[in-house]
C-alpha cells in the first residue's frame, strides 16, 4: 500500500510508515542545523573536535538525512505514476530538487551580499 514504506537495513526488511520517516528525519535535520551554533561558539573545541572534522561530519549527517527524508516521497511519486515511466518521474523530481538547491544557494549568496556579510 502507499502508506507503508519498505526499507532494507542490514539484510532485514521492515515496514515503516512514510510519515514517521519524514517526521523524524525532519526533526533531526532541524536539530542538526542548530549545530552551526556549536561551531560559531567554539563548543566543538571544548569536546576536542577540530573545526574541519566537525564541519565534515555535520555536512555528512545532513546529506544522509536529506536522502532518507526524500526517499519516501520519491517512492510514492513513482508508485502513483503510470507504468514504465518511473525513471522519467525520478529524473524529473531529481532535476527539480537540484534546481531548487541551486536557486537557494544563489539567493543565499545575494542575501549575504545585501546584508554586507561578504
Amino acid at each position: 500500500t502507499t502508506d507503508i514504506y519498505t526499507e532494507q537495513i542490514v539484510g532485514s526488511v521492515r515496514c515503516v510508515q512514510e510519515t514517521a520517516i519524514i517526521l523524524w528525519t525532519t526533526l533531526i535535520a532541524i536539530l542538526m542545523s542548530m549545530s552551526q551554533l556549536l561551531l560559531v561558539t567554539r563548543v566543538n573545541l571544548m569536546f576536542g573536535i577540530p573545526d574541519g572534522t566537525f564541519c565534515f561530519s555535520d555536512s555528512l549527517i545532513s546529506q544522509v538525512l536529506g536522502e532518507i527524508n526524500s526517499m519516501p516521497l520519491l517512492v510514492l511519486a513513482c508508485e502513483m505514476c503510470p507504468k514504465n515511466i518511473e525513471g522519467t518521474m525520478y529524473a524529473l523530481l531529481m532535476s527539480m530538487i537540484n534546481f531548487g538547491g541551486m536557486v537557494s544557494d544563489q539567493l543565499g549568496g545575494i542575501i549575504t551580499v545585501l546584508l554586507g556579510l561578504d
Side-chain angles (χ1 to χ4, degrees), residues 10-55:
V10 193
S12 66
V13 177
R14 63 183 192 143
C15 294
V16 179
Q17 286 194 355
E18 291 144 338
T19 54
I21 293 172
I22 295 170
L23 173 70
W24 285 108
T25 55
T26 302
L27 291 175
I28 294 170
I30 290 170
L31 292 175
M32 288 299 298
S33 69
M34 293 180 189
S35 67
Q36 297 300 314
L37 294 174
L38 299 176
L39 183 66
V40 171
T41 57
R42 312 296 282 177
V43 173
N44 60 313
L45 295 177
M46 291 173 33
F47 291 113
I49 304 171
D51 290 341
T53 305
F54 185 82
C55 290

Side-chain angles (χ1 to χ4, degrees), residues 2 73-93:
T2 58
L73 299 175
L74 294 173
V75 169
L76 278 175
C78 287
E79 286 178 357
M80 292 175 13
C81 72
K83 188 166 176 59
N84 296 329
I85 63 163
E86 293 89 355
T88 304
M89 176 64 84
Y90 179 77
L92 178 67
L93 290 172

Side-chain angles (χ1 to χ4, degrees), residues 91-109:
L92 178 67
L93 290 172
M94 291 310 295
S95 62
M96 287 191 299
I97 290 169
N98 289 334
F99 179 73
M102 287 185 344
V103 169
S104 71
D105 287 344
Q106 295 302 315
L107 289 177

